Amino acid sequence: MEATLITDLTYVEAPAAPVVSLPSLPPTVVQSGLKRSLLTGLFQLAEARLLWRFLRTPARVGEAIRYVEELKREYYGDLKPRKVARVAGRSYREYYEPGRPSAAYDAYVATTVNRAVPFRGDADTLNLVFLAITKKCPLACEHCFEWDALNQKEVLSRADIQDLVARFQARHVTQIFFSGGEPMLRVNDLVAVVEAARPGTDFWVITSGFNFTRENAGRLKRAGFTGVTISLDHHEPARHNAFRGSAQAYQNAVQAVAFAHEAGLVVNLSLCATAEFTTGTNLWAYAELARQLGVTFIQLLEPRAVGHYAGQAVDLSPAQLALLEDFYLKMNFASDYFSWPIVHYYGYHQRRMGCAGAADRFLYVDTDGDMHACPFCQKKSGSALCRTADDGFDAALASLKTRGCHPFSQAAL
Ligand code: SF4
């Protein structure tokens, strides 16, 4: 069914950002070894309690524990993640894992356990959804994967977004990341949608920092948002601004970090590590900056030849991929860096385990409400919009699972 065109949306304009000097913000990653051990112990206790609550017999609990151990071995090999961050009363270990304690964390463990030892009468496996809510954006980023859709007529209404959230919450999705375009242009809708959502899902917004004022950070937090992913693609202001096509981009991003911190939102800095950027010097300068800003996570993205990059040779060299992997391993697993931000590097695990997108653990919904394997592997696989009672959503999800579109998706997870 054809989606309705929405023409009467009003966007929230960003006021001119004041000039900021680089703030030095308190760390969110736990600095003390004792506290880290205590919080890790609390995660283990919570998991044991949940396993018992879900499965009720020692045999089934044992089966689930073996499955989870095997999963961790596949994902981390011999590495043992030890870093923990604390934000607003919750503990975080991974960007794609809800913080604990929370209903979202319990639901996340439930979905993992249900894969191994089914107990709740469904086969839902989705953990997270990227939901692009607007085609509007004032920037012109080099790597933008939504480039072809940008600044076209809007399709999704607030009611559509609300329905999409409810639909994915009914499928036990425990993290929803609102993207765009620039989702902060629809901050009123973000607030209304999350206020109306039920507990059990962590909500994040992925932003360039545009319109991320102190007031808006507070509104997001009060509405129930957990965190914000802020794009920062270089530690040098001029290079970040050139990459983003905006003279205000660096200032907006850094200021957004400070406001999010103040509001009690978890902060993830997202870095598109281009071939030009990827040197050891740049990576460690970036890490220093992230540490100074007190962020919880750094996300490393590899450039892909889609959207604005379509047709360009943007792949990193094997030596650069090795540099990124070395950076990831040192930052997360070397004791010298236990108090630095936690690095999320999906590409590292994707190369070893295969892809978790294509509706296996995550999927992408674009600004028309159509589903894709992931934000970078775009091939429309049916609509997620609730336009009719029997609108083929389940069939589209099932088809997405079998199709995927990236060679990594052939490997089993
Ligand atoms: S990457 Fe994001 S911020 Fe940049 S142009 Fe695209 S939608 Fe806008």
Side-chain angles (χ1 to χ4, degrees):
M1 173 168 289
E2 192 147 301
T4 316
L5 288 181
I6 307 299
T7 52
D8 58 350
L9 295 173
T10 52
Y11 295 97
V12 182
E13 295 297 333
V19 174
V20 288
S21 58
L22 205 55
S24 203
L25 300 168
T28 49
V29 176
V30 171
Q31 309 283 295
S32 138
L34 188 63
K35 189 170 177 188
R36 197 164 42 240
S37 302
L38 183 70
L39 293 170
T40 302
L42 289 175
F43 267 106
Q44 288 162 350
L45 269 179
E47 280 162 14
R49 182 180 56 80
L50 289 169
L51 280 176
W52 185 252
R53 192 173 100 199
F54 299 145
L55 302 177
R56 312 303 302 175
T57 72
R60 282 157 64 81
V61 168
E63 199 183 332
I65 288 174
R66 284 190 293 281
Y67 168 81
V68 171
E69 286 305 314
E70 183 53 34
L71 203 62
K72 283 183 184 164
R73 235 187 324 277
E74 275 183 51
Y75 196 75
Y76 292 114
D78 293 333
L79 302 165
K80 293 266 176 287
R82 296 216 167 79
K83 294 167 82 162
V84 184
R86 288 285 290 171
V87 181
R90 287 169 67 182
S91 302
Y92 296 84
R93 300 183 298 191
E94 282 274 3
Y95 177 46
Y96 287 159
E97 178 186 276
R100 195 207 70 75
S102 68
Y105 178 76
D106 292 359
Y108 172 86
V109 175
T111 295
T112 305
V113 171
N114 195 53
R115 276 180 170 247
V117 188
F119 69 92
R120 67 180 185 197
D122 65 64
D124 290 347
T125 58
L126 264 183
N127 289 122
L128 59 108
V129 168
F130 299 95
L131 195 47
I133 62 164
T134 177
K135 296 175 187 285
K136 307 297 178 189
C137 184
L139 303 190
C141 306
E142 268 184 27
H143 69 320
C144 180
F145 58 78
E146 273 293 354
W147 190 250
D148 297 334
L150 280 197
N151 300 314
Q152 309 288 319
K153 271 189 180 167
E154 208 70 292
V155 170
L156 298 177
S157 66
R158 179 185 293 183
D160 287 332
I161 301 166
Q162 235 150 10
D163 287 347
L164 287 167
V165 166
R167 175 163 256 191
F168 285 115
Q169 285 201 294
R171 305 298 297 245
H172 301 109
V173 166
T174 50
Q175 286 181 299
I176 292 179
F177 294 81
F178 295 107
S179 69
E182 173 48 71
M184 286 304 291
L185 284 167
R186 293 187 72 170
V187 63
N188 293 340
D189 292 334
L190 288 173
V191 166
V193 165
V194 170
E195 277 176 347
R198 63 173 177 72
T201 305
D202 274 3
F203 293 98
W204 286 68
V205 60
I206 301 177
T207 177
S208 64
F210 184 84
N211 202 30
F212 204 94
T213 59
R214 174 178 276 129
E215 189 202 346
N216 284 338
R219 291 178 68 203
L220 293 177
K221 178 67 184 173
R222 287 191 296 280
F225 271 84
T226 294
V228 54
T229 289
I230 298 166
S231 303
L232 185 67
D233 300 294
H234 211 292
H235 50 94
E236 293 177 23
R239 289 182 188 269
H240 175 72
N241 290 345
F243 184 83
R244 293 259 151 194
S246 159
Q248 296 292 316
Y250 186 89
Q251 182 170 294
N252 285 344
V254 169
Q255 188 141 63
V257 173
F259 290 153
H261 216 286
E262 191 180 289
L265 292 163
V266 186
V267 178
N268 170 46
L269 280 187
S270 182
L271 164 69
C272 178
T274 61
E276 190 199 353
F277 174 88
T278 306
T279 65
T281 308
N282 279 339
L283 282 166
W284 289 105
Y286 190 94
E288 280 283 4
L289 171 62
R291 185 160 77 134
Q292 180 178 344
L293 293 176
V295 308
T296 298
F297 299 107
I298 297 170
Q299 176 183 29
L300 299 178
L301 295 174
E302 294 165 15
R304 297 278 295 274
V306 296
H308 205 184
Y309 268 159
Q312 297 184 44
V314 294
D315 287 353
L316 300 179
S317 70
Q320 287 177 313
L321 290 176
L323 257 183
L324 287 181
E325 293 202 349
D326 182 62
F327 173 75
Y328 162 74
L329 292 172
K330 280 202 178 86
M331 281 285 283
N332 279 9
F333 302 104
S335 55
D336 288 353
Y337 300 98
F338 277 175
S339 59
W340 291 49
I342 301 166
V343 174
H344 175 78
Y345 184 17
Y346 178 58
Y348 175 92
H349 299 285
Q350 194 180 33
R351 275 189 283 284
R352 288 158 178 79
M353 297 179 66
C355 186
D360 182 18
R361 286 171 198 261
F362 67 84
L363 60 80
Y364 174 62
V365 179
D366 70 16
T367 51
D368 294 326
D370 291 322
M371 294 187 282
H372 304 259
C374 85
F376 298 106
C377 301
Q378 296 203 12
K379 186 159 60 177
K380 289 182 188 285
S381 301
S383 177
L385 289 170
C386 321
R387 297 287 195 213
T388 60
D390 179 18
D391 53 12
F393 175 65
D394 290 332
L397 259 187
S399 133
L400 188 53
K401 277 192 181 192
T402 56
R403 288 166 67 196
C405 67
H406 192 277
F408 288 135
S409 66
Q410 300 309 314
L413 186 64

